[in-house]
Amino acid sequence: MAWGTLLADGETVDRYRGHVLERGPDACWWWLGAISDTGHGSFRAGSHTTGTSRVVPAHLFGYRLAHGVGALAGGLVVRHRCDEGACQNPAHWLAGTRGDNNRDAASRRRLAGHALADVRGAAGRARAVQAAIAAADPEDLDAAIAAALAAGNPGGAHQDALF
Ligand SMILES: [Zn+2]
């Protein structure tokens, strides 16, 4: 089914938006729906209006929703400036090539405390954040998310110095 059909379907757009924890302009907007093995959000796009449906990566739907159905022509991929694959903040997205993406990931993966160095893997990290969001009091959300992120980098940059 074509992206244009899915993007024009109000039920699909509502379902997408209903799974995004929208926060401040600089924060990551966490996906609250299904998480793929690669740590990306995914959801079933389509409704009784479109007749059929298919499971799509959430950020690819969201990117087109923000920039138009033709935004990723020519084989471009959506890159996350924040390196959180589940993030749905349009300000954290950048269209690029697969080569750009692989090069960035290879260099950042070595940084201590970085998202890509998470010992739980990308999917485990995203699911841990979702669990923290579900369990947190709304007023403690930022701290709960920060703690869930830090837990994946036990030897990382955010650990307190021992001496
Ligand atoms: Zn982000």
Side-chain angles (χ1 to χ4, degrees):
M1 190 179 352
W3 282 108
T5 306
L6 298 174
L7 291 162
D9 181 47
E11 273 187 58
T12 296
V13 172
D14 285 350
R15 188 156 358 104
Y16 169 79
R17 294 212 164 108
H19 283 117
V20 177
L21 178 68
E22 211 171 298
R23 298 163 72 225
D26 299 326
C28 285
W29 296 4
W30 296 98
W31 178 252
L32 302 178
I35 298 291
S36 74
D37 289 346
T38 57
H40 295 94
S42 71
F43 81 114
R44 182 161 289 283
S47 68
H48 67 276
T49 311
T50 59
T52 58
S53 65
R54 67 172 163 129
V55 174
V56 299
H59 64 293
L60 297 185
F61 184 86
Y63 190 90
R64 289 178 171 92
L65 194 60
H67 297 284
V69 66
L72 296 171
L76 292 179
V77 299
V78 174
R79 306 165 65 200
H80 284 85
R81 297 175 203 268
C82 55
D83 289 319
E84 304 290 356
C87 176
Q88 305 298 316
N89 183 345
H92 288 186
W93 290 332
L94 192 65
T97 66
R98 209 165 285 282
D100 291 337
N101 219 24
N102 293 342
R103 224 169 7 256
D104 279 1
S107 62
R108 294 182 201 166
R109 197 170 284 127
R110 291 191 288 271
L111 300 175
H114 193 276
L116 299 176
D118 194 304
V119 296
R120 299 165 294 191
R125 180 180 178 87
R127 290 182 185 125
V129 170
Q130 288 185 333
I133 290 168
D137 288 330
E139 62 269 25
D140 295 332
L141 204 51
D142 288 343
I145 292 169
L149 293 173
N153 296 286
H158 301 297
Q159 190 183 35
D160 292 337
L162 295 176
F163 52 85

